[in-house]
Every structure is written in C-alpha cells, then in structure tokens.
Amino acid sequence: MPKAEKKTTAKTATKSAARSTRVTKSTAAKTTEPAKPVVDDSVFQERLARHADELGRLFSELYSDASALDDLKAAMAEAYAARPDDLKELDAKREADPDWYKRGNMFGMTLYTDLFAGDLKKLADRVPYLEEQKLTYLHLMPLLQMPHPQNDGGYAVEDFDNVDPTLGTNEDLAALTAKLRKAGISLCLDFVMNHTASSHRWAKAAQAGDPEYQDYYFCYDDRTIPDQYDAVVPQVFPGTAPGNFSWNEQMGKWVMTQFYPFQWDLNYRNPKVLVAMLSSALHLANLGVEVLRIDAVPYIWKVLGTNCRNLPQVHTIVRMLRIALECVCPAVVLKGEVVMAPKELAAYFGTEEAPECHMLYNVSIMVNLWSALASQDTRLLKTQIDKLNALPENCWFVNYLRCHDDIGWGLDEDVEEEIGIDPLKHKEFLYHFYEGCVPGSWAMGELYNYDPATKDARSCGTTASLCGVEKALITHDHPSYERALQRDLLMHRAMAFLRGFPMLNCGDEIGQLNGWDYKEDSARVEDSRNLHRSKFDWEKAALREEPGTLQNRLWEGMEGLREMRDDPCFAPDAWTSTWDTHNNAVLAVIRKSGDRTLIGLFNFSGFEQSVHLDGSEGLIARVSTDLKPYEAKLIHL
C-alpha cells in the first residue's frame, strides 16, 4: 500500500477535503505553500456558537470520541476559511431569505452532463439554452470520480473530492457554478452517503489488509454476522444483486454491499467516516454547489437485528450535516432521496427547532400520477396528495414525472384494498400497460428488474413515449398523436400544480423519445433504464422555434407551466388542498393565498367529464364545469 495511504487519518482527510476551490487535492499537496491570508472567521464562530451545544450533544449520542468532534469543528473552520468571497455573499443573502427555494418561480431540470453536452466546459456553453427555459435549479447526475465501466451511473464514487476526468476538473465545475449563479440557476449534485466504490482509496487500503480502513466498512471473516443481517434486512436488488454481502477474495472477508458488489457500505459507527464525509460535502459546497442531494440516506446506519432502514441515528447524522452547512455555507440546502411511505417522510425534514432536509424528492406522487393516467382513476393520487399536504409546513418537495431512474410501483396497498383494488393485480396491470402489452395501451416502455417469484417489476421510458407520442408517430395515427400530446401536457400541469416545485427531465421539454439504440451497446444493454438515458438531440431541439412541431408545442407547454406558477397562489405559504369532484377521473386541487383562490382541475381520462365542487364558506364557491379528454383547466375565484 502506498505510504500516503497509511498517513490518511480523520484529521488529514478532513483538512484536505476543504481545500480552496481553485485547486484539486492532487495539486494541493506541495512541499511548500505560500503563507495563508488571515481570514476573519467571526461570522463562522458566531454561527458555530449557536449550534455548538447541540452539535456536541448529537455527536456524543453516536460517539465517545472528543478528539473526533474537534476534528469535525476544525474541518468546518478550514472549509469556512477556504470559502470564496462571492459564495459568502450568497450565504448572507440566503440567510436573509431562507424560503428562496420555495418561491413560485422555482423551476428545475435534471440531466447527465455527458449526454447533454459532453463535458462540463461544453455544458457551460449551453447555459443559454437553460436560461431560455427560465430555470432556477439544475440537477446534474453524478459527476465525481468513478470507476469505469462499473459505476452504477456514477453512484459508485471512488473520490468524493474530485470531478471524474472524463467530464472535466474541479476548476471546470467551479467555473460552471459561477456561470449558473450569474444566470440565476442553483446547481444540485448528488452526495452518495451510504457507500463508496470498491476502488475508493479507503476500500483499496482495506483490501490490502489495513485494519484501520477495514473499520471504514463492514468486514467479516465468516458468514456468522452477515447471515444474521440477511435474516432481517431486505434486499435492494434481489434479482440482479442478491444478498447484502459480497465475498472479497483479496481481503479474505465478507463486506456489506447492500446495492451492488462494487459498492461498499460505509460504517458510520466509525467517527472518522462521518468527519471525512461531512468534510467532502463542505468541499463540494465551496466549489459552488448549492443543493446536495443525499442519496440512499435511510440506509446509512446499521444495527444488527433491525431492517437497517430509517433508524434514529440516521436523523442524528443528517441533522449534524445540516448544522455543518448552516455554520459554513448556509446558502446550501439538502435534498433527500427517501423512497419511503409518507409516514416515514416527515422525520427526514426534522422539526422546526431541529431541521434536517430542506426538501425531498416526491417519489410517491410521481408513481401515483402514472397510475392515475393508466387507470383513469385519481382516487389513489388524491389520497396520497392529502397525506403529503397533511405534513408540517416545513415539508417541501421536488415534484417530477421522470428522472434518471425507473418508475417503481410502490403504491399504498392499504388504500388500494380499502377502495377495492387488488394491489398485486394493479401493479401487474401498470407495468404491463407501460410496457405496451395491455390491450388499449398507448405506451412504449420496458420493464426493469422483473422478479418472476414476487411478480414485481419497474418501468422505464421517457415521458413522451410513455404518454403515447412514440407509438402514434410510428403508426402515423394523428388523432392518437393529439391525445398523446394532451396526456403529456396534462401530466406536467398536474405535477407543477402541487405543493413544492417542478423539475423536468432533460428532453421532456422537446418530447424526446426512447433511446432504443442502447440495446446495441454491450456496456449498456443489460440495464433497461438506459432506454430513457440517451443523448440529447440538439437537432430536434432546434425545432422548438418551428410552430406546430412536437418540440414547439411541448416547449410552449412548459412555458405555460411557468406562467401558471407566476400566480400569487404559488407563494411559499399558500394553502393547498385537494377537493372532491364527485368524479373519480378528475383531480381537483385548490390553492389559496390571501383573498386569491386558484382551482386546478385535471381530467385523467380520455373522455369528456363533468365535475361538481361543493362550496365551502370562506374557501370556495360551488363550481360545476365540463372538461375535455385529458384537459387541465384553471379557475380563478
């Protein structure tokens, strides 16, 4: 093992993670360095003083290691000292406007750097395209250094402090974030907290036999403890990556790998892991990242005899991360990836006194929107919206239809049974419908992770293809094409009307279709999610300015979403609720701010529908109206 590896302690790891944004770690390690300028850290010390008692208490709940707490505070202080002045100015601005991410003008997009532009420098040249859409939020798929080809789409990270060389450098990332800030766009990056790649320097040291780094993971000589975990811990990918442990021949040990064998679960019971990871988060913040999407966060704490999901210690760690950000870089917010039932979600926001995530991905609403479209029945969707609206006011969501991942059909089975729906039959109907295998289906998609034993499966495809655009174009069926466009716009309008802010999947704004050519690529053919992970079609994007084209109609439709959300009823404190339409095919959502009321009516069926909304004194007057197939109608009161 290289000598430098042996010298990596929690303290040196945290210091190196908070380097200046103008250099990478590889260039920072020089024998002589110029004298560092004196930094006024009074603002940082004042922030830290407000949180010091709570931070100390939380740290002691997990660890009895005072020196590790000192290391964390030292890393925070160094990160503050290295933070560029323009980002400190942004910190002050955001502290004065803590609800900035809840404004009605928030409008997001998610994309892969390489598929959209090639690399970070070329992406910076495409910022005008993003400005055209009045974006305020851009989520780039994982771009930190990763192994090739086995990297789970970038979620297997081998260096949390550096950009992958295929995409650019840290300097390129800092330059991009500066250009985006100037355009009013906040950059979001994934921060994979649960695991590292098996090629991470810690994992390499562990494989070489270093016991210090084996303690960064869960490593066991035999199957005794792994078997005890496996007896109660659910499998993430039982079909493609069964079990929760993998045998490492070089190390001669079993290592916990809940996702894939090349992703080693981190042991947060070791305080050195926490200090190093939080330091890397601060390092990304100093490169100009304004939103950290913490990946697979419910999994990060393990206790033998439990299912290792949503344990209390997870919230302790997320709260400490929030404190670190509020002390060093309060402009930065946390977005959690929590694919859990609504009853599990509130905990990840924390409380008003001790907040955790600022916002979460709205996975459940995404799934229920697609379920409502296929079944022409909004009852499950309405119930799910009601449950989310009942969460405390600090709970905020990023709403979306499609992203880099599949559609996992995790519907509320208890509610399904209550209204007479067989959960398994409904799930089978949905994934076969979006596969295009149900009579009357307009969709073209594919299954992902089909399990013949449990009959579980997920669905892949772009929004346009799942809404019927692709099939209509292939069959030259103009009426079907028009209906497909209406479905696409209906889904986007309904999504954008809900509590939270909308995020488009790049390509949906121009109706990009499935990328079936992935089947011709040996490196991609095994993962059907690549169906909706294709290169952005710039030739098709040019058609957005040509009236009557698919691209133009959807582009203008997305502009309509932004115009809709310019209404005062999309203020952060607006009251939002569903309303009974006396028609299962139509969803009604009411937004109210001050004396202004806005009703959104969404017909999820391919037939004309009549709706009747009962009046309520002080809220809305009685409303009766008709809707065309797949129509979204707004009513101002």
Side-chain angles (χ1 to χ4, degrees):
M1 181 178 63
K3 189 176 182 181
E5 295 279 18
K6 290 182 179 265
K7 290 186 176 180
T8 304
T9 64
K11 187 173 291 186
T12 57
T14 57
K15 287 183 177 180
S16 61
R19 298 285 186 187
S20 165
T21 61
R22 292 188 294 272
V23 295
T24 62
K25 291 179 70 175
S26 60
T27 61
K30 296 182 179 179
T31 56
T32 61
E33 294 184 1
K36 294 180 179 179
V38 177
V39 176
D40 180 3
D41 68 347
S42 57
V43 172
F44 167 73
Q45 293 297 340
E46 182 181 338
R47 293 172 184 156
L48 180 60
R50 292 199 299 266
H51 293 292
D53 290 344
E54 183 188 6
L55 182 61
R57 175 179 57 78
L58 294 171
F59 201 90
S60 65
E61 287 179 6
L62 303 183
Y63 315 110
S64 56
D65 189 336
S67 64
L69 177 58
D70 290 339
D71 289 339
L72 176 58
K73 290 179 180 179
M76 291 164 59
E78 187 169 347
Y80 179 81
R83 191 157 174 79
D85 289 341
D86 60 334
L87 292 179
K88 288 180 178 178
E89 291 175 7
L90 182 63
D91 292 332
K93 180 180 178 182
R94 295 276 170 80
E95 282 185 302
D97 182 21
D99 286 338
W100 65 271
Y101 60 93
K102 295 183 178 181
R103 303 295 176 205
N105 69 340
M106 284 295 292
F107 200 78
M109 176 173 282
T110 181
L111 58 83
Y112 282 92
T113 299
D114 56 340
L115 297 178
F116 181 69
D119 59 33
L120 291 173
K121 285 184 177 179
K122 293 176 182 175
L123 194 154
D125 293 336
R126 294 292 191 177
V127 168
Y129 177 81
L130 307 177
E131 288 184 280
E132 272 190 70
Q133 300 176 73
K134 300 181 178 65
L135 295 187
T136 60
Y137 173 101
L138 178 66
H139 178 190
L140 296 183
M141 289 292 98
L143 50 73
L144 298 179
Q145 188 169 319
M146 64 190 82
H148 296 277
Q150 282 193 322
N151 55 51
D152 187 28
Y155 289 95
V157 181
E158 65 180 18
D159 187 341
F160 288 91
D161 298 310
N162 281 303
V163 170
D164 192 84
T166 64
L167 299 174
T169 65
N170 285 13
E171 290 86 354
D172 295 334
L173 178 59
L176 173 65
T177 60
K179 189 168 185 177
L180 289 171
R181 278 197 306 281
K182 188 175 181 180
I185 302 173
S186 298
L187 181 69
C188 171
L189 282 190
D190 290 88
F191 189 62
V192 185
M193 292 191 68
N194 181 69
H195 46 260
T196 74
S198 57
S199 53
H200 190 284
R201 65 183 183 279
W202 300 341
K204 287 182 177 179
Q207 291 179 78
D210 190 326
E212 178 181 356
Y213 288 98
Q214 289 179 358
D215 193 38
Y216 277 47
Y217 303 97
F218 294 86
C219 305
Y220 302 99
D221 294 327
D222 57 41
R223 287 289 312 183
T224 303
I225 294 179
D227 284 344
Q228 293 177 37
Y229 274 110
D230 278 346
V232 292
V233 176
Q235 298 179 58
V236 178
F237 300 125
T240 55
N244 292 295
F245 290 84
S246 300
W247 174 254
N248 184 267
E249 189 67 36
Q250 182 182 350
M251 186 168 55
K253 293 178 181 289
W254 291 92
V255 60
M256 182 179 284
T257 57
Q258 288 196 86
F259 286 79
Y260 289 104
F262 53 85
Q263 292 167 309
W264 289 21
D265 286 55
L266 285 166
N267 175 18
Y268 278 91
R269 293 181 295 192
N270 181 346
K272 294 179 181 179
V273 170
L274 177 74
V275 174
M277 292 297 287
L278 264 57
S279 299
S280 290
L282 297 176
H283 174 64
L284 290 176
N286 278 358
L287 289 172
V289 177
E290 297 180 36
V291 184
L292 290 173
R293 174 193 177 272
I294 46 178
D295 178 71
V297 67
Y299 300 79
I300 62 177
W301 192 272
K302 284 81 173 176
V303 174
L304 197 63
T306 73
N307 68 358
C308 298
R309 307 283 196 275
N310 305 304
L311 297 179
Q313 296 88 342
V314 170
H315 300 287
T316 303
I317 290 173
V318 176
R319 176 59 186 155
M320 284 194 284
L321 174 57
R322 173 78 177 251
I323 289 173
L325 296 177
E326 291 186 353
C327 290
V328 176
C329 46
V332 179
V333 300
L334 291 175
K335 178 174 71 172
E337 187 227 10
V338 183
V339 187
M340 300 289 169
K343 64 181 180 181
E344 304 281 4
L345 298 182
Y348 286 91
F349 290 102
T351 64
E352 185 176 351
E353 299 77 20
E356 295 177 26
C357 291
H358 297 76
M359 50 191 173
L360 298 183
Y361 260 156
N362 208 341
V363 180
S364 63
I365 290 300
M366 178 271 292
V367 174
N368 277 275
L369 281 165
W370 288 108
S371 171
L373 187 66
S375 64
Q376 304 183 74
D377 186 336
T378 67
R379 288 177 295 173
L380 290 174
L381 173 60
K382 181 181 183 301
T383 301
Q384 200 75 354
I385 294 172
D386 289 340
K387 289 183 177 181
L388 294 180
N389 284 343
L391 295 175
E393 290 184 3
N394 65 310
C395 301
W396 203 250
F397 295 93
V398 178
N399 300 314
Y400 65 102
L401 296 178
R402 297 297 297 113
C403 64
H404 69 288
D405 222 341
D406 53 82
I407 303 173
W409 299 106
L411 299 167
D412 192 325
E413 295 186 0
D414 290 338
V415 175
E416 287 182 291
E417 291 174 348
E418 286 176 10
I419 61 179
I421 296 175
D422 183 294
L424 180 58
K425 288 183 179 179
H426 188 51
K427 180 188 294 187
E428 289 183 280
F429 161 74
L430 290 171
Y431 63 66
H432 285 314
F433 184 94
Y434 286 109
E435 188 187 14
C437 295
V438 171
S441 171
W442 58 73
M444 291 185 69
E446 283 196 307
L447 301 186
Y448 175 67
N449 265 9
Y450 175 71
D451 186 340
T454 62
K455 296 185 178 179
D456 187 45
R458 308 176 184 193
S459 299
C460 300
T462 69
T463 298
S465 292
L466 295 179
C467 285
V469 173
E470 184 172 357
K471 184 175 181 180
L473 289 173
I474 291 173
T475 57
H476 302 282
D477 186 336
H478 185 71
S480 293
Y481 172 76
E482 290 296 324
R483 286 194 296 273
L485 276 176
Q486 291 305 314
R487 290 187 202 103
D488 192 308
L489 292 171
L490 168 80
M491 291 285 279
H492 277 101
R493 287 166 181 160
M495 175 269 292
F497 201 85
L498 303 178
R499 181 180 178 183
F501 73 83
M503 182 179 72
L504 304 181
N505 193 44
C506 184
D508 280 358
E509 75 280 11
I510 58 168
Q512 192 149 321
L513 306 179
N514 291 330
W516 297 98
D517 58 347
Y518 88 90
K519 292 179 177 294
E520 300 169 10
D521 185 342
S522 59
R524 305 172 69 223
V525 67
E526 296 298 328
D527 190 338
S528 56
R529 291 176 298 180
N530 287 313
L531 182 64
H532 53 262
R533 297 174 180 175
S534 55
K535 285 188 176 182
F536 186 74
D537 193 331
W538 285 102
E539 291 185 3
K540 292 288 178 61
L543 297 176
R544 68 188 183 277
E545 299 177 356
E546 187 174 322
T549 62
L550 166 67
Q551 293 74 23
N552 175 258
R553 292 177 68 180
L554 288 177
W555 184 270
E556 291 190 347
M558 300 309 116
E559 175 63 27
L561 300 184
R562 294 185 287 274
E563 292 174 355
M564 174 185 76
R565 291 180 56 83
D566 194 43
D567 191 286
C569 288
F570 287 88
D573 58 352
W575 179 79
T576 309
S577 177
T578 64
W579 208 262
D580 189 4
T581 62
H582 302 286
N583 185 330
N584 292 338
V586 180
L587 173 72
V589 180
I590 296 177
R591 285 182 160 273
K592 189 173 180 64
S593 181
D595 295 331
R596 188 174 179 83
T597 301
L598 178 63
I599 301 174
L601 298 174
F602 307 95
N603 180 8
F604 279 78
S605 82
F607 305 94
E608 292 186 0
Q609 300 290 340
S610 297
V611 296
H612 306 281
L613 277 64
D614 297 326
S616 177
E617 187 175 353
L619 286 176
I620 68 168
R622 186 175 181 180
V623 174
S624 295
T625 190
D626 297 324
L627 287 91
K628 299 174 184 177
Y630 304 116
E631 181 181 5
K633 178 180 288 188
L634 302 182
I635 300 176
H636 297 268
L637 296 180

